[in-house]
Each structure stands twice: as C-alpha cells, then as structure tokens.
Amino acid sequence: MSSDEEAAGRGRGRGRRGRGSRLRVPRLMDPYSMRLPPATIDPSPVDATLLWGHGQHRIDSVWTNEAGDRSFHVRGTTILVPYRELYRPYLEAAGLLSVVPLVPMNPDASLITALVERWRPETSTFHLPCGEVTITLEDVVTLSGLAIDGDAVVVDIPDEEWSAICLRLLGRVPYDLVGGVAVVRITWLRVEFSHLPDDASQEVIEQFARAYALSLIGGVLFPDRSGSTVHLQYLLLIEDWERAGGFAWGAAVLSYLYREMGRSSLHISHTGTSLAGDLGGWVALLQFWAWERFPHLAPRDSETRAQATEDAHPRGLRWLSASSRQYGDQLFQYKLWLDAMDTVVWQPYRERALHLRGSVIQSETFRAVVPLICFSSVMWHHPDRVLRQFGMRQHEPHQPHPEAEVRFFLRQATRGPSRGQQLVHASRESLDFWNRRHEFVATSSYTDEELVYHSEHMEWYRDVTRRSGTRRGAVAEALYDTIEHAEVSLRDGGRAGGLTPDQCEDLADFMASGVATLGFEQRRYPDLTVPVQPHYAEPVMTAWPERTDPTPDWVAPEPQF
C-alpha cells in the first residue's frame, strides 16, 4: 500500500460515538439502486452549542453542493518594490528583515481552500477528525522570525491629510490620492521607487526603504483580497524605525490571517453559485504551517529539505521553491486527506531552540490566551484548545467567546477602514488584555501520551464538532465508529454497552451499505485514493486521571468589549 493510500485510510482515534448504550446506525443508501441519497448522511454535531455557525459555514454549502468544488482565488506573491542592501539596516531595526527572503512563494490554492473549509471562527482552530489544531504564535515566530512580543500593531491617526503624510514620509504623493483616500496602489510604489539614484542622500534612501517596507506589508504580511493596494495606516507604523521594531508584527499577521479565514469560511452565498472568491492574508505562512504539521500534505522531498535546511532561520526558508503534490482533482483529494487525517506532528519544533534577534523566546508567550490586534482586526488566540501542540495534556476547553463578539469583529473587518473616514481602532479592553498577556497563559500537565479514541476529551470532542467535509469521508467515519463500538462491545462480552441481537443485525446492514457506498464513490472518482479499512489493534484503554481540584487548570478571562 502506498503512503498516500495509507494516509487516506487511517481512521483510528476518530469519529463520534453516542454516549448511550444504543448503537446509532444510519441507513446510508439504497443497496439495490446503488445511489447515494443526498440527505441520508448528516455530519452535524450532536451538541451544537460550540459551533454556532453550523449551517452558515462554507463546508455546509459545499456539502449541499452550493459551493461546488472550486478553490479560492489565492494570489501569489505581489511584485514588490525592488530590494536593495541599503535598506537592510532600516528593515532590521523595524523587525521586518526576516520576511524578505520568504517573499518568492506561490501558494497552493487547493490546499488553502481545503484548510479554510475546516477553519472554525467560533474557536479560531481547524476542526479535524483527530481534534482541534491551529496556527499559533509559536508557529509564526518559528516560520517567519517576526516578533510576537511587543506593542500591539495600532497607532494614533494624526490630523494631517494623507497627502501630507505621504510627502513627509515618502517624498512624493500618489496621483490618485485625493479626497481623503487612504490607500495607495502597490504598482505606484513599484514604479516610483524602483530606481534609487546613485547619488541619493540618506533621507532619500530612507524614503525608498520605507516604500519597500510598505510594499512588503501590503503585498505579503497584510494583503487585502485585491492584492493590489495597501492602506496608509501601515505607513504610520514605519515612520520611526526604532518604534517599529517594538511592534508585535507576528501577532498582527496572525490576527489578520485569522480574520481573513473567518470571513472566507462563513456561508455568504444565497444565489446557488460558488462561494469561492479571493482570500486575503499571508496564505503562504498557512501553507508552511500545514507542511510542517501534516507530513502527508507536504512536498515529496520534505525529508530531504528538512535535512538540508536543519539550521535555517526562519524555518519557512526550507519550503521556498517547493512544489505541491499533483493529482487529477487536487481540491477533492485534499478534502479526502483531511477527512482521514489522524497523523499530526503536534510538536515539529520540539528539538529546536528558538532564537529571535539574540533572545530566547519563552514558551509562555506561545500559550497566551489573548486578543491578537492589527488595527481594527481583533481575533482571539486560543492555545488552550490545542495544548497537545505544546506537549501538554488536553482537557476540555472552556466555551469560547460569544457569537455576537466574533461576528462583530468579522463584520468590522469586512468593512475595513473606510476610505476618507476615520480609522477604527481596537477597543481599550482588547489592548489591556494584550498588554497583560503574561497573566493569561494556558497550562496543563506535560505528557507524551496520545489521546486514544475512548479518552474523555475525544468523547467530548466528537459530540461537539463536525469531522467530515465529504460524503465519502462521512461514510468512512461512520464505518470506523461502528468498528470501534463493536470491538469494545465484543471485548466486554455483551456486558454494559454490548450489542443486542437487533443491533448486530443493524451493524451488518450498516457495514454492507457503507462498503457499497464506498464502491459507488470509487467508480465515480476512479483516479482518487479510496479510504481503506484500517487495521485496528487492541485499543489502549488509558484511564483519565482524576482531578483532585474540581476547578479547571486555567480560567479564561471574561471578555469585555
């Protein structure tokens, strides 16, 4: 069996099993007609209190074929102002130099789309069969080298006209910057600042360096969905290079990426057409993260690259010029892989010491449960939901922030800073949380144990999440759930939780119809990997440790917006 087939076929440790003793066996299809009825498989969570966006999410529209199988329009790297070594001291002082070598990167639109379909803005995490996983501050600082400690990325807006600000900081004014418009085109920056005069003064060199940094910010770190403009609010961040070096650029990049994924994952189509559209944010960073965490999604030469670039900093350098795996139906294959995903590298950086500008980054910052701020973009960082990524025991996390708050910031971000209007800033409460980030650190006991299928956390997780994004994945998950339930029942010898004769008959019918459904799907998509039945070893029934204190390990701060 190939590694790809093996990856698509793994199913252990996944699925939702009912808490009662009665086995729930859905009728998947009519075995005589060999047709898959559209409404017989329901992947909805049993407990919908966590995923309040269920029914409005992109994955729900894809399931009903409203969105089809089209990928987002993910833009490659925008052509920036040409880089010169004369700009190095300014970029280094501003904390942006580590991003410069990461610029030439063309994202895989199919991979990004498949990931965004599993993104849940309710929890700021990806929901996969093996549990929740997300891109954290640890990933950002490791892959990009950007600072994650420092001031929030927000500044006061002066009373000056934007044209006066451009003239003072860039030495020239865009031709279309009239009527209070607060954006400039990256093409204008490229045309005006491509040729640095040989006899340029220090002031002119600094202006050209600022233009390059502005194109880097608008074209790589915080690109909007058009990928062609950049807001002048970012120009104010690099007015003073030393002050710019004190910003938490990495936290702002993550906030912006969270926001864009949240917006794109919401159900927004009412016309029956595809939901696919443009996606903003630094999507190449998301792709680096996916290749680090999911080996079966990484380029085929990933191990060779890892050995050749073991000491590369930032770590994202190892993925430059890498090519994604190619398949006939790329997007659908990625969806199948995510449906069967039970192999996650929870700690890819475990053996590597992290250094940023000469100082060791403490892990407490990685686990801060705080709002990440980039002007009006305020998205919550939830490492408490993915403690396995820090080598810690995962307990049932606290309920995330209310629906009204999340929707408020997503709507705020959708509108963005209006042209010619005053910019919207993060609230004082959000800034206060960020400034006190070291007080809100999620923690638990360290462990190397894997969460098995019947662990307390996985039992809870399977009830509150949606695990499958494709019908074939849902059928496979139901089959795997049934096998796990049957193994436990048979091992218990018919005691509490065992199968009754009627349930045994239901089990046989269910497995027969499920196998027939998988065969139908294979004939429909003959070139794609079929999830195969995994080999189930005897489950390790590790007892969950009893708490001596009924209170949780960590108490989330009450949101006050």
Side-chain angles (χ1 to χ4, degrees), residues 39-53:
T40 53
I41 304 175
D42 184 8
S44 304
V46 175
D47 181 352
T49 57
L50 179 66
L51 301 184
W52 44 257

Side-chain angles (χ1 to χ4, degrees), residues 490-507:
L490 294 174
R491 186 179 66 249
D492 291 343
R495 294 188 297 273
L499 298 178
T500 65
D502 289 341
Q503 289 175 335
C504 287
E505 184 179 352
D506 286 343
L507 171 61

Side-chain angles (χ1 to χ4, degrees), residues 326-330 527-528:
Q326 298 299 318
Y327 299 92
D329 191 334
Q330 192 90 340
D527 297 331
L528 297 178

Side-chain angles (χ1 to χ4, degrees), residues 299-325:
R300 298 185 187 276
D301 62 346
S302 58
E303 293 186 6
T304 304
R305 288 176 173 273
Q307 296 173 1
T309 58
E310 183 177 358
D311 298 325
H313 181 74
R315 192 179 173 109
L317 289 173
R318 70 168 52 181
W319 301 115
L320 289 183
S321 73
S323 298
S324 299
R325 306 186 183 204

Side-chain angles (χ1 to χ4, degrees), residues 308-376:
T309 58
E310 183 177 358
D311 298 325
H313 181 74
R315 192 179 173 109
L317 289 173
R318 70 168 52 181
W319 301 115
L320 289 183
S321 73
S323 298
S324 299
R325 306 186 183 204
Q326 298 299 318
Y327 299 92
D329 191 334
Q330 192 90 340
L331 176 57
F332 189 57
Q333 184 65 74
Y334 279 134
K335 291 180 180 181
L336 287 180
W337 273 344
L338 292 177
D339 277 349
M341 182 63 67
D342 68 345
T343 302
V344 177
V345 181
W346 293 105
Q347 294 178 273
Y349 327 121
R350 183 173 184 174
E351 304 300 329
R352 176 186 172 122
L354 300 179
H355 296 275
L356 181 64
R357 289 186 290 181
S359 61
V360 177
I361 300 301
Q362 301 299 321
S363 62
E364 284 76 9
T365 306
F366 304 156
R367 294 182 281 114
V369 184
V370 288
L372 306 174
I373 299 171
C374 178
F375 286 95
S376 63

